[in-house]
Amino acid sequence: FKEFNIRNAFLGTVAFVSAAMLLGIPVIDSIFNNNPNQKSILTKKEMIKNSGLKLYGLNAYSPEIWFKYGKVIPEIYPKDSATHPKENEFYLISMKNADLDSLEIKLNHMGYKSEFVEEFDENEEKPGTKNDVDRKKMLLFKVNKF
């Protein structure tokens, strides 16, 4: 150990960790992030922000989506009018597994009409794997009051 140079050992460790992060993480990410249908809600976040309209959720409780979006998305409960938006126009996300007809009926009963905008899939895993979950698949609508 008399010949052991702590400075070279430290620099070697820093170089190894840096190389692993620069070369290893992109490779690992490309291996595990292999959902060909992945499309993030972030692709529409700027559009929603620039429109000046607020984003709400209906049957869309998903902490992963909130985390990606960067804030809590208020949830609308059809039977609780206190949760209904005060705005005449807004964006709405709902889980993809929701039946579109029943969603439209719910919105109509609340006094809204909807226009489908886009579908999102935040799953990083390919379809059919255990981590491919429905709560990360969302539909985006633009909603107007009657």
Side-chain angles (χ1 to χ4, degrees), residues 72-132:
V72 174
I73 300 168
E75 187 74 16
I76 298 171
Y77 299 99
K79 294 180 181 178
D80 183 2
S81 61
T83 64
H84 296 187
K86 306 292 184 252
E87 299 87 357
N88 290 328
E89 189 176 29
F90 56 91
Y91 284 100
L92 178 83
I93 59 169
S94 183
M95 284 192 186
K96 183 180 174 188
N97 64 354
D99 178 36
L100 291 178
D101 291 332
S102 67
L103 178 65
E104 193 169 311
I105 291 169
K106 280 181 191 177
L107 289 170
N108 283 336
H109 285 317
M110 292 188 298
Y112 300 108
K113 64 177 184 151
S114 64
E115 175 189 333
F116 176 74
V117 176
E118 198 159 353
E119 181 179 324
F120 299 100
D121 185 354
E122 294 285 354
N123 285 296
E124 294 178 351
E125 305 293 328
K126 66 182 172 185
T129 61
K130 73 175 189 168
N131 290 328
D132 179 55

CSV table of all heavy atoms in Angstrom, one decimal, residues 72-132:
chain,number,residue,atom,x,y,z
A,72,VAL,N,-50.6,18.8,-9.8
A,72,VAL,CA,-51.8,18.1,-9.5
A,72,VAL,C,-52.9,18.5,-10.5
A,72,VAL,O,-53.1,19.7,-10.7
A,72,VAL,CB,-52.3,18.2,-8.1
A,72,VAL,CG1,-53.6,17.6,-7.9
A,72,VAL,CG2,-51.2,17.7,-7.1
A,73,ILE,N,-53.5,17.6,-11.1
A,73,ILE,CA,-54.6,17.9,-12.0
A,73,ILE,C,-55.9,17.7,-11.3
A,73,ILE,O,-56.2,16.6,-10.8
A,73,ILE,CB,-54.6,17.0,-13.3
A,73,ILE,CG1,-53.2,17.2,-14.0
A,73,ILE,CG2,-55.7,17.2,-14.2
A,73,ILE,CD1,-52.9,16.1,-15.0
A,74,PRO,N,-56.7,18.8,-11.1
A,74,PRO,CA,-58.0,18.7,-10.3
A,74,PRO,C,-58.9,17.7,-11.0
A,74,PRO,O,-59.1,17.6,-12.2
A,74,PRO,CB,-58.6,20.1,-10.4
A,74,PRO,CG,-57.5,21.0,-11.0
A,74,PRO,CD,-56.5,20.1,-11.6
A,75,GLU,N,-59.5,16.9,-10.1
A,75,GLU,CA,-60.5,15.8,-10.5
A,75,GLU,C,-61.9,16.3,-10.5
A,75,GLU,O,-62.3,17.0,-9.5
A,75,GLU,CB,-60.3,14.6,-9.6
A,75,GLU,CG,-61.0,13.4,-10.1
A,75,GLU,CD,-60.4,12.7,-11.3
A,75,GLU,OE1,-59.3,12.9,-11.6
A,75,GLU,OE2,-61.1,11.8,-11.9
A,76,ILE,N,-62.7,16.0,-11.5
A,76,ILE,CA,-64.1,16.3,-11.6
A,76,ILE,C,-64.9,15.1,-11.2
A,76,ILE,O,-64.6,14.0,-11.7
A,76,ILE,CB,-64.5,16.7,-13.0
A,76,ILE,CG1,-63.8,18.0,-13.5
A,76,ILE,CG2,-66.0,16.9,-13.1
A,76,ILE,CD1,-64.0,18.3,-14.9
A,77,TYR,N,-65.8,15.2,-10.3
A,77,TYR,CA,-66.7,14.1,-9.9
A,77,TYR,C,-68.1,14.5,-10.3
A,77,TYR,O,-68.6,15.5,-9.9
A,77,TYR,CB,-66.6,13.9,-8.3
A,77,TYR,CG,-65.2,13.6,-7.8
A,77,TYR,CD1,-64.4,14.5,-7.3
A,77,TYR,CD2,-64.8,12.3,-8.0
A,77,TYR,CE1,-63.1,14.2,-6.8
A,77,TYR,CE2,-63.5,11.9,-7.5
A,77,TYR,CZ,-62.7,12.9,-7.0
A,77,TYR,OH,-61.4,12.6,-6.6
A,78,PRO,N,-68.6,13.7,-11.2
A,78,PRO,CA,-69.9,14.0,-11.8
A,78,PRO,C,-71.0,14.3,-10.8
A,78,PRO,O,-71.9,15.2,-11.0
A,78,PRO,CB,-70.3,12.8,-12.7
A,78,PRO,CG,-69.0,12.2,-13.0
A,78,PRO,CD,-68.1,12.5,-11.8
A,79,LYS,N,-71.1,13.6,-9.7
A,79,LYS,CA,-72.1,13.8,-8.7
A,79,LYS,C,-71.9,14.9,-7.7
A,79,LYS,O,-72.7,15.2,-6.8
A,79,LYS,CB,-72.4,12.5,-8.0
A,79,LYS,CG,-72.9,11.4,-8.9
A,79,LYS,CD,-73.2,10.1,-8.2
A,79,LYS,CE,-73.7,9.1,-9.2
A,79,LYS,NZ,-73.9,7.8,-8.6
A,80,ASP,N,-70.7,15.5,-7.8
A,80,ASP,CA,-70.3,16.6,-6.8
A,80,ASP,C,-70.1,17.9,-7.6
A,80,ASP,O,-69.1,18.1,-8.2
A,80,ASP,CB,-69.0,16.2,-6.1
A,80,ASP,CG,-68.6,17.2,-5.0
A,80,ASP,OD1,-69.4,18.2,-4.9
A,80,ASP,OD2,-67.6,17.0,-4.4
A,81,SER,N,-71.2,18.7,-7.7
A,81,SER,CA,-71.1,19.9,-8.5
A,81,SER,C,-70.0,20.9,-8.0
A,81,SER,O,-69.6,21.8,-8.8
A,81,SER,CB,-72.5,20.6,-8.5
A,81,SER,OG,-72.9,21.0,-7.2
A,82,ALA,N,-69.6,20.8,-6.8
A,82,ALA,CA,-68.5,21.6,-6.3
A,82,ALA,C,-67.2,21.4,-7.0
A,82,ALA,O,-66.3,22.3,-7.0
A,82,ALA,CB,-68.3,21.4,-4.8
A,83,THR,N,-67.0,20.2,-7.6
A,83,THR,CA,-65.8,19.9,-8.3
A,83,THR,C,-65.9,20.3,-9.8
A,83,THR,O,-64.9,20.2,-10.5
A,83,THR,CB,-65.4,18.4,-8.2
A,83,THR,OG1,-66.5,17.6,-8.8
A,83,THR,CG2,-65.3,18.0,-6.8
A,84,HIS,N,-67.1,20.7,-10.3
A,84,HIS,CA,-67.3,21.0,-11.7
A,84,HIS,C,-66.5,22.3,-12.0
A,84,HIS,O,-66.6,23.3,-11.2
A,84,HIS,CB,-68.7,21.1,-12.0
A,84,HIS,CG,-69.5,19.8,-11.9
A,84,HIS,ND1,-70.8,19.7,-12.3
A,84,HIS,CD2,-69.1,18.6,-11.4
A,84,HIS,CE1,-71.2,18.5,-12.1
A,84,HIS,NE2,-70.2,17.8,-11.5
A,85,PRO,N,-65.9,22.4,-13.1
A,85,PRO,CA,-65.1,23.6,-13.4
A,85,PRO,C,-66.1,24.8,-13.6
A,85,PRO,O,-67.2,24.7,-14.0
A,85,PRO,CB,-64.5,23.3,-14.8
A,85,PRO,CG,-64.5,21.8,-14.9
A,85,PRO,CD,-65.7,21.3,-14.1
A,86,LYS,N,-65.6,26.0,-13.2
A,86,LYS,CA,-66.3,27.2,-13.3
A,86,LYS,C,-66.1,27.8,-14.7
A,86,LYS,O,-66.9,28.6,-15.2
A,86,LYS,CB,-65.8,28.3,-12.3
A,86,LYS,CG,-65.9,27.7,-10.8
A,86,LYS,CD,-67.3,27.5,-10.3
A,86,LYS,CE,-67.3,27.1,-8.9
A,86,LYS,NZ,-67.6,25.7,-8.6
A,87,GLU,N,-65.1,27.4,-15.4
A,87,GLU,CA,-64.7,27.9,-16.7
A,87,GLU,C,-65.7,27.4,-17.7
A,87,GLU,O,-66.3,26.3,-17.6
A,87,GLU,CB,-63.3,27.5,-17.1
A,87,GLU,CG,-62.2,28.0,-16.2
A,87,GLU,CD,-61.9,27.1,-15.1
A,87,GLU,OE1,-62.6,26.1,-14.9
A,87,GLU,OE2,-61.0,27.4,-14.3
A,88,ASN,N,-66.0,28.1,-18.8
A,88,ASN,CA,-66.8,27.7,-19.9
A,88,ASN,C,-66.1,26.8,-20.9
A,88,ASN,O,-66.7,26.0,-21.6
A,88,ASN,CB,-67.4,28.9,-20.7
A,88,ASN,CG,-68.4,29.7,-19.9
A,88,ASN,OD1,-69.1,29.1,-19.0
A,88,ASN,ND2,-68.4,31.0,-20.1
A,89,GLU,N,-64.8,26.8,-20.8
A,89,GLU,CA,-64.0,26.0,-21.8
A,89,GLU,C,-62.7,25.5,-21.0
A,89,GLU,O,-62.1,26.3,-20.3
A,89,GLU,CB,-63.6,26.8,-23.0
A,89,GLU,CG,-63.0,26.1,-24.1
A,89,GLU,CD,-62.7,27.0,-25.3
A,89,GLU,OE1,-62.5,28.2,-25.2
A,89,GLU,OE2,-62.7,26.4,-26.4
A,90,PHE,N,-62.4,24.3,-21.2
A,90,PHE,CA,-61.2,23.7,-20.5
A,90,PHE,C,-60.8,22.4,-21.2
A,90,PHE,O,-61.5,21.9,-22.1
A,90,PHE,CB,-61.5,23.4,-19.0
A,90,PHE,CG,-62.7,22.5,-18.8
A,90,PHE,CD1,-62.5,21.2,-18.6
A,90,PHE,CD2,-64.0,23.1,-18.6
A,90,PHE,CE1,-63.6,20.3,-18.4
A,90,PHE,CE2,-65.1,22.3,-18.4
A,90,PHE,CZ,-64.9,20.9,-18.3
A,91,TYR,N,-59.6,21.9,-20.8
A,91,TYR,CA,-59.2,20.6,-21.3
A,91,TYR,C,-59.4,19.6,-20.2
A,91,TYR,O,-59.5,19.9,-19.0
A,91,TYR,CB,-57.7,20.6,-21.6
A,91,TYR,CG,-57.4,21.3,-22.9
A,91,TYR,CD1,-56.9,22.6,-23.0
A,91,TYR,CD2,-57.6,20.7,-24.1
A,91,TYR,CE1,-56.7,23.3,-24.1
A,91,TYR,CE2,-57.3,21.3,-25.3
A,91,TYR,CZ,-56.9,22.6,-25.3
A,91,TYR,OH,-56.6,23.2,-26.5
A,92,LEU,N,-59.7,18.3,-20.7
A,92,LEU,CA,-60.0,17.3,-19.8
A,92,LEU,C,-59.2,16.0,-20.2
A,92,LEU,O,-59.2,15.7,-21.4
A,92,LEU,CB,-61.5,17.0,-19.9
A,92,LEU,CG,-62.0,15.8,-19.0
A,92,LEU,CD1,-62.3,16.3,-17.6
A,92,LEU,CD2,-63.3,15.3,-19.6
A,93,ILE,N,-58.7,15.3,-19.2
A,93,ILE,CA,-58.1,14.0,-19.5
A,93,ILE,C,-58.9,13.0,-18.8
A,93,ILE,O,-59.5,13.2,-17.7
A,93,ILE,CB,-56.6,13.9,-19.1
A,93,ILE,CG1,-56.4,14.2,-17.6
A,93,ILE,CG2,-55.7,14.7,-19.9
A,93,ILE,CD1,-55.0,13.8,-17.1
A,94,SER,N,-59.0,11.8,-19.4
A,94,SER,CA,-59.7,10.7,-18.8
A,94,SER,C,-58.9,9.4,-19.2
A,94,SER,O,-58.2,9.4,-20.2
A,94,SER,CB,-61.1,10.6,-19.4
A,94,SER,OG,-61.8,9.6,-18.7
A,95,MET,N,-59.0,8.4,-18.3
A,95,MET,CA,-58.3,7.1,-18.6
A,95,MET,C,-58.9,6.6,-19.9
A,95,MET,O,-60.1,6.6,-20.2
A,95,MET,CB,-58.5,6.1,-17.5
A,95,MET,CG,-57.6,6.4,-16.4
A,95,MET,SD,-57.6,5.0,-15.2
A,95,MET,CE,-56.7,5.7,-13.9
A,96,LYS,N,-58.0,5.9,-20.7
A,96,LYS,CA,-58.4,5.4,-22.0
A,96,LYS,C,-59.3,4.2,-21.8
A,96,LYS,O,-60.2,4.0,-22.7
A,96,LYS,CB,-57.1,4.9,-22.7
A,96,LYS,CG,-57.4,4.4,-24.1
A,96,LYS,CD,-56.2,3.9,-24.8
A,96,LYS,CE,-56.5,3.3,-26.1
A,96,LYS,NZ,-55.4,2.6,-26.7
A,97,ASN,N,-59.3,3.5,-20.7
A,97,ASN,CA,-60.2,2.4,-20.5
A,97,ASN,C,-61.6,2.8,-20.3
A,97,ASN,O,-62.5,2.0,-20.2
A,97,ASN,CB,-59.7,1.5,-19.4
A,97,ASN,CG,-59.7,2.2,-18.0
A,97,ASN,OD1,-60.0,3.3,-17.9
A,97,ASN,ND2,-59.4,1.4,-17.0
A,98,ALA,N,-61.8,4.1,-20.1
A,98,ALA,CA,-63.2,4.6,-20.0
A,98,ALA,C,-63.9,4.5,-21.3
A,98,ALA,O,-63.4,4.8,-22.3
A,98,ALA,CB,-63.2,6.0,-19.5
A,99,ASP,N,-65.2,4.1,-21.3
A,99,ASP,CA,-66.0,4.0,-22.5
A,99,ASP,C,-66.3,5.4,-22.9
A,99,ASP,O,-66.8,6.3,-22.2
A,99,ASP,CB,-67.3,3.3,-22.1
A,99,ASP,CG,-68.2,3.2,-23.3
A,99,ASP,OD1,-67.7,3.0,-24.4
A,99,ASP,OD2,-69.4,3.2,-23.1
A,100,LEU,N,-66.0,5.7,-24.2
A,100,LEU,CA,-66.1,7.1,-24.7
A,100,LEU,C,-67.6,7.5,-24.7
A,100,LEU,O,-67.9,8.7,-24.4
A,100,LEU,CB,-65.6,7.2,-26.1
A,100,LEU,CG,-64.1,7.1,-26.2
A,100,LEU,CD1,-63.6,7.2,-27.7
A,100,LEU,CD2,-63.4,8.2,-25.5
A,101,ASP,N,-68.5,6.6,-25.0
A,101,ASP,CA,-69.9,7.0,-25.0
A,101,ASP,C,-70.4,7.3,-23.6
A,101,ASP,O,-71.1,8.3,-23.4
A,101,ASP,CB,-70.8,5.8,-25.6
A,101,ASP,CG,-70.5,5.6,-27.0
A,101,ASP,OD1,-70.2,6.6,-27.7
A,101,ASP,OD2,-70.7,4.5,-27.5
A,102,SER,N,-70.0,6.5,-22.6
A,102,SER,CA,-70.4,6.9,-21.2
A,102,SER,C,-69.8,8.1,-20.7
A,102,SER,O,-70.4,8.9,-20.0
A,102,SER,CB,-70.1,5.7,-20.3
A,102,SER,OG,-68.8,5.5,-20.1
A,103,LEU,N,-68.6,8.4,-21.2
A,103,LEU,CA,-67.9,9.6,-20.8
A,103,LEU,C,-68.6,10.8,-21.4
A,103,LEU,O,-68.9,11.8,-20.7
A,103,LEU,CB,-66.4,9.6,-21.3
A,103,LEU,CG,-65.6,10.9,-21.0
A,103,LEU,CD1,-65.4,11.1,-19.5
A,103,LEU,CD2,-64.3,10.7,-21.7
A,104,GLU,N,-69.0,10.7,-22.6
A,104,GLU,CA,-69.8,11.8,-23.3
A,104,GLU,C,-71.1,12.0,-22.6
A,104,GLU,O,-71.6,13.2,-22.4
A,104,GLU,CB,-70.0,11.5,-24.8
A,104,GLU,CG,-70.4,12.7,-25.6
A,104,GLU,CD,-70.4,12.4,-27.1
A,104,GLU,OE1,-69.3,12.0,-27.5
A,104,GLU,OE2,-71.4,12.7,-27.7
A,105,ILE,N,-71.8,10.9,-22.2
A,105,ILE,CA,-73.1,11.0,-21.5
A,105,ILE,C,-72.9,11.7,-20.2
A,105,ILE,O,-73.7,12.6,-19.8
A,105,ILE,CB,-73.7,9.6,-21.4
A,105,ILE,CG1,-74.2,9.1,-22.7
A,105,ILE,CG2,-74.9,9.7,-20.4
A,105,ILE,CD1,-74.6,7.6,-22.7
A,106,LYS,N,-71.8,11.4,-19.4
A,106,LYS,CA,-71.6,12.0,-18.1
A,106,LYS,C,-71.3,13.5,-18.3
A,106,LYS,O,-71.9,14.3,-17.6
A,106,LYS,CB,-70.3,11.4,-17.5
A,106,LYS,CG,-70.5,10.1,-16.8
A,106,LYS,CD,-69.2,9.7,-16.2
A,106,LYS,CE,-69.3,8.3,-15.7
A,106,LYS,NZ,-68.0,7.8,-15.2
A,107,LEU,N,-70.5,13.9,-19.4
A,107,LEU,CA,-70.3,15.3,-19.6
A,107,LEU,C,-71.6,16.0,-20.0
A,107,LEU,O,-71.8,17.1,-19.6
A,107,LEU,CB,-69.2,15.4,-20.7
A,107,LEU,CG,-67.8,15.1,-20.2
A,107,LEU,CD1,-66.8,15.0,-21.4
A,107,LEU,CD2,-67.3,16.0,-19.2
A,108,ASN,N,-72.4,15.4,-20.8
A,108,ASN,CA,-73.6,16.0,-21.3
A,108,ASN,C,-74.6,16.2,-20.1
A,108,ASN,O,-75.2,17.3,-20.0
A,108,ASN,CB,-74.4,15.1,-22.3
A,108,ASN,CG,-73.8,15.2,-23.7
A,108,ASN,OD1,-73.1,16.2,-24.0
A,108,ASN,ND2,-74.0,14.2,-24.5
A,109,HIS,N,-74.6,15.3,-19.1
A,109,HIS,CA,-75.4,15.5,-17.9
A,109,HIS,C,-74.9,16.6,-17.1
A,109,HIS,O,-75.7,17.2,-16.4
A,109,HIS,CB,-75.5,14.2,-17.1
A,109,HIS,CG,-76.4,13.1,-17.7
A,109,HIS,ND1,-77.6,13.4,-18.2
A,109,HIS,CD2,-76.2,11.8,-17.8
A,109,HIS,CE1,-78.1,12.2,-18.6
A,109,HIS,NE2,-77.3,11.2,-18.4
A,110,MET,N,-73.7,16.9,-17.1
A,110,MET,CA,-73.1,18.0,-16.4
A,110,MET,C,-73.2,19.3,-17.2
A,110,MET,O,-72.8,20.4,-16.6
A,110,MET,CB,-71.6,17.7,-16.0
A,110,MET,CG,-71.5,16.6,-15.1
A,110,MET,SD,-69.8,16.4,-14.4
A,110,MET,CE,-68.8,16.0,-15.9
A,111,GLY,N,-73.6,19.3,-18.4
A,111,GLY,CA,-73.8,20.5,-19.2
A,111,GLY,C,-72.6,20.8,-20.1
A,111,GLY,O,-72.4,22.0,-20.4
A,112,TYR,N,-71.8,19.8,-20.5
A,112,TYR,CA,-70.7,20.0,-21.3
A,112,TYR,C,-70.7,19.2,-22.6
A,112,TYR,O,-71.3,18.1,-22.6
A,112,TYR,CB,-69.4,19.6,-20.6
A,112,TYR,CG,-69.1,20.4,-19.3
A,112,TYR,CD1,-69.3,19.8,-18.0
A,112,TYR,CD2,-68.8,21.7,-19.3
A,112,TYR,CE1,-69.1,20.5,-16.9
A,112,TYR,CE2,-68.5,22.4,-18.1
A,112,TYR,CZ,-68.7,21.8,-16.9
A,112,TYR,OH,-68.5,22.5,-15.8
A,113,LYS,N,-70.1,19.7,-23.6
A,113,LYS,CA,-69.9,18.9,-24.8
A,113,LYS,C,-68.3,18.8,-25.0
A,113,LYS,O,-67.6,19.7,-24.7
A,113,LYS,CB,-70.6,19.4,-26.1
A,113,LYS,CG,-70.1,20.8,-26.5
A,113,LYS,CD,-70.8,21.2,-27.8
A,113,LYS,CE,-70.1,22.5,-28.2
A,113,LYS,NZ,-70.2,22.8,-29.6
A,114,SER,N,-67.9,17.6,-25.5
A,114,SER,CA,-66.5,17.4,-25.7
A,114,SER,C,-66.0,17.2,-27.1
A,114,SER,O,-66.8,16.7,-27.9
A,114,SER,CB,-66.0,16.2,-24.8
A,114,SER,OG,-66.7,15.0,-25.3
A,115,GLU,N,-64.8,17.5,-27.3
A,115,GLU,CA,-64.1,17.3,-28.6
A,115,GLU,C,-62.8,16.5,-28.4
A,115,GLU,O,-62.0,17.0,-27.6
A,115,GLU,CB,-63.9,18.6,-29.3
A,115,GLU,CG,-63.1,18.5,-30.6
A,115,GLU,CD,-62.7,19.9,-31.1
A,115,GLU,OE1,-63.4,20.9,-30.8
A,115,GLU,OE2,-61.7,19.9,-31.8
A,116,PHE,N,-62.7,15.3,-28.9
A,116,PHE,CA,-61.5,14.5,-28.7
A,116,PHE,C,-60.3,15.2,-29.3
A,116,PHE,O,-60.4,15.7,-30.5
A,116,PHE,CB,-61.7,13.1,-29.3
A,116,PHE,CG,-60.4,12.3,-29.2
A,116,PHE,CD1,-60.1,11.7,-28.1
A,116,PHE,CD2,-59.7,12.0,-30.4
A,116,PHE,CE1,-58.9,10.9,-28.0
A,116,PHE,CE2,-58.5,11.2,-30.3
A,116,PHE,CZ,-58.2,10.7,-29.1
A,117,VAL,N,-59.2,15.3,-28.6
A,117,VAL,CA,-58.0,15.9,-29.1
A,117,VAL,C,-56.9,14.9,-29.4
A,117,VAL,O,-56.4,14.8,-30.5
A,117,VAL,CB,-57.4,17.0,-28.1
A,117,VAL,CG1,-56.1,17.6,-28.6
A,117,VAL,CG2,-58.4,18.1,-27.8
A,118,GLU,N,-56.5,14.1,-28.4
A,118,GLU,CA,-55.4,13.2,-28.6
A,118,GLU,C,-55.4,12.1,-27.6
A,118,GLU,O,-55.9,12.3,-26.5
A,118,GLU,CB,-54.1,13.9,-28.6
A,118,GLU,CG,-53.0,13.2,-29.2
A,118,GLU,CD,-51.8,14.1,-29.7
A,118,GLU,OE1,-52.0,15.3,-29.6
A,118,GLU,OE2,-50.8,13.6,-30.0
A,119,GLU,N,-54.7,11.0,-27.9
A,119,GLU,CA,-54.5,9.9,-26.9
A,119,GLU,C,-53.0,9.9,-26.5
A,119,GLU,O,-52.1,10.2,-27.3
A,119,GLU,CB,-54.8,8.6,-27.7
A,119,GLU,CG,-54.7,7.4,-26.9
A,119,GLU,CD,-55.0,6.1,-27.7
A,119,GLU,OE1,-55.9,6.2,-28.5
A,119,GLU,OE2,-54.4,5.1,-27.4
A,120,PHE,N,-52.8,9.6,-25.2
A,120,PHE,CA,-51.5,9.5,-24.6
A,120,PHE,C,-51.2,8.2,-24.0
A,120,PHE,O,-52.2,7.5,-23.4
A,120,PHE,CB,-51.3,10.6,-23.6
A,120,PHE,CG,-51.5,12.0,-24.1
A,120,PHE,CD1,-52.6,12.7,-23.9
A,120,PHE,CD2,-50.5,12.6,-24.9
A,120,PHE,CE1,-52.8,13.9,-24.5
A,120,PHE,CE2,-50.6,13.8,-25.4
A,120,PHE,CZ,-51.8,14.5,-25.2
A,121,ASP,N,-50.0,7.7,-24.0
A,121,ASP,CA,-49.6,6.5,-23.4
A,121,ASP,C,-48.2,6.8,-22.7
A,121,ASP,O,-47.2,6.9,-23.4
A,121,ASP,CB,-49.5,5.3,-24.4
A,121,ASP,CG,-49.2,4.0,-23.7
A,121,ASP,OD1,-48.9,4.0,-22.5
A,121,ASP,OD2,-49.1,3.0,-24.4
A,122,GLU,N,-48.3,6.9,-21.4
A,122,GLU,CA,-47.0,7.2,-20.6
A,122,GLU,C,-46.3,5.9,-20.2
A,122,GLU,O,-45.2,6.0,-19.6
A,122,GLU,CB,-47.4,8.0,-19.4
A,122,GLU,CG,-47.9,9.4,-19.6
A,122,GLU,CD,-46.9,10.4,-20.1
A,122,GLU,OE1,-45.7,10.1,-20.1
A,122,GLU,OE2,-47.3,11.5,-20.4
A,123,ASN,N,-46.7,4.8,-20.6
A,123,ASN,CA,-46.0,3.5,-20.3
A,123,ASN,C,-44.7,3.5,-21.0
A,123,ASN,O,-44.6,3.7,-22.2
A,123,ASN,CB,-46.9,2.3,-20.7
A,123,ASN,CG,-48.1,2.1,-19.7
A,123,ASN,OD1,-47.8,1.8,-18.6
A,123,ASN,ND2,-49.3,2.3,-20.2
A,124,GLU,N,-43.7,3.1,-20.3
A,124,GLU,CA,-42.4,3.0,-20.9
A,124,GLU,C,-42.1,1.5,-21.3
A,124,GLU,O,-41.3,1.3,-22.2
A,124,GLU,CB,-41.3,3.4,-19.9
A,124,GLU,CG,-41.4,4.9,-19.6
A,124,GLU,CD,-40.3,5.4,-18.6
A,124,GLU,OE1,-39.6,4.5,-18.0
A,124,GLU,OE2,-40.2,6.6,-18.4
A,125,GLU,N,-42.9,0.6,-20.7
A,125,GLU,CA,-42.7,-0.8,-21.0
A,125,GLU,C,-43.6,-1.1,-22.2
A,125,GLU,O,-44.6,-0.5,-22.4
A,125,GLU,CB,-43.1,-1.6,-19.8
A,125,GLU,CG,-42.4,-1.3,-18.5
A,125,GLU,CD,-40.9,-1.6,-18.6
A,125,GLU,OE1,-40.5,-2.6,-19.3
A,125,GLU,OE2,-40.1,-0.9,-17.9
A,126,LYS,N,-43.2,-2.1,-23.0
A,126,LYS,CA,-43.9,-2.5,-24.2
A,126,LYS,C,-45.3,-3.1,-23.8
A,126,LYS,O,-45.4,-3.6,-22.7
A,126,LYS,CB,-43.1,-3.4,-25.1
A,126,LYS,CG,-42.8,-4.7,-24.5
A,126,LYS,CD,-42.0,-5.5,-25.5
A,126,LYS,CE,-41.5,-6.8,-24.9
A,126,LYS,NZ,-40.6,-7.5,-25.7
A,127,PRO,N,-46.3,-3.0,-24.6
A,127,PRO,CA,-47.6,-3.5,-24.3
A,127,PRO,C,-47.5,-5.0,-24.0
A,127,PRO,O,-46.7,-5.8,-24.7
A,127,PRO,CB,-48.4,-3.3,-25.6
A,127,PRO,CG,-47.7,-2.1,-26.2
A,127,PRO,CD,-46.2,-2.3,-25.9
A,128,GLY,N,-48.3,-5.4,-23.1
A,128,GLY,CA,-48.4,-6.9,-22.7
A,128,GLY,C,-47.5,-7.2,-21.5
A,128,GLY,O,-47.6,-8.3,-21.0
A,129,THR,N,-46.6,-6.3,-21.1
A,129,THR,CA,-45.7,-6.6,-19.9
A,129,THR,C,-46.5,-6.2,-18.7
A,129,THR,O,-47.5,-5.4,-18.7
A,129,THR,CB,-44.4,-5.8,-20.0
A,129,THR,OG1,-44.6,-4.4,-20.1
A,129,THR,CG2,-43.6,-6.3,-21.2
A,130,LYS,N,-46.0,-6.6,-17.5
A,130,LYS,CA,-46.7,-6.4,-16.3
A,130,LYS,C,-46.7,-4.9,-15.9
A,130,LYS,O,-47.6,-4.4,-15.1
A,130,LYS,CB,-46.1,-7.2,-15.1
A,130,LYS,CG,-44.8,-6.7,-14.6
A,130,LYS,CD,-44.3,-7.5,-13.4
A,130,LYS,CE,-43.1,-6.9,-12.8
A,130,LYS,NZ,-42.8,-7.4,-11.5
A,131,ASN,N,-45.7,-4.1,-16.4
A,131,ASN,CA,-45.7,-2.7,-16.0
A,131,ASN,C,-46.4,-1.8,-17.0
A,131,ASN,O,-46.4,-0.6,-16.9
A,131,ASN,CB,-44.2,-2.2,-15.9
A,131,ASN,CG,-43.6,-2.8,-14.7
A,131,ASN,OD1,-44.2,-3.0,-13.7
A,131,ASN,ND2,-42.3,-3.0,-14.8
A,132,ASP,N,-47.1,-2.4,-18.0
A,132,ASP,CA,-47.9,-1.7,-19.0
A,132,ASP,C,-49.3,-1.6,-18.3
A,132,ASP,O,-50.1,-2.5,-18.4
A,132,ASP,CB,-47.9,-2.4,-20.3
A,132,ASP,CG,-48.8,-1.7,-21.3
A,132,ASP,OD1,-48.6,-0.5,-21.6
A,132,ASP,OD2,-49.7,-2.3,-21.9
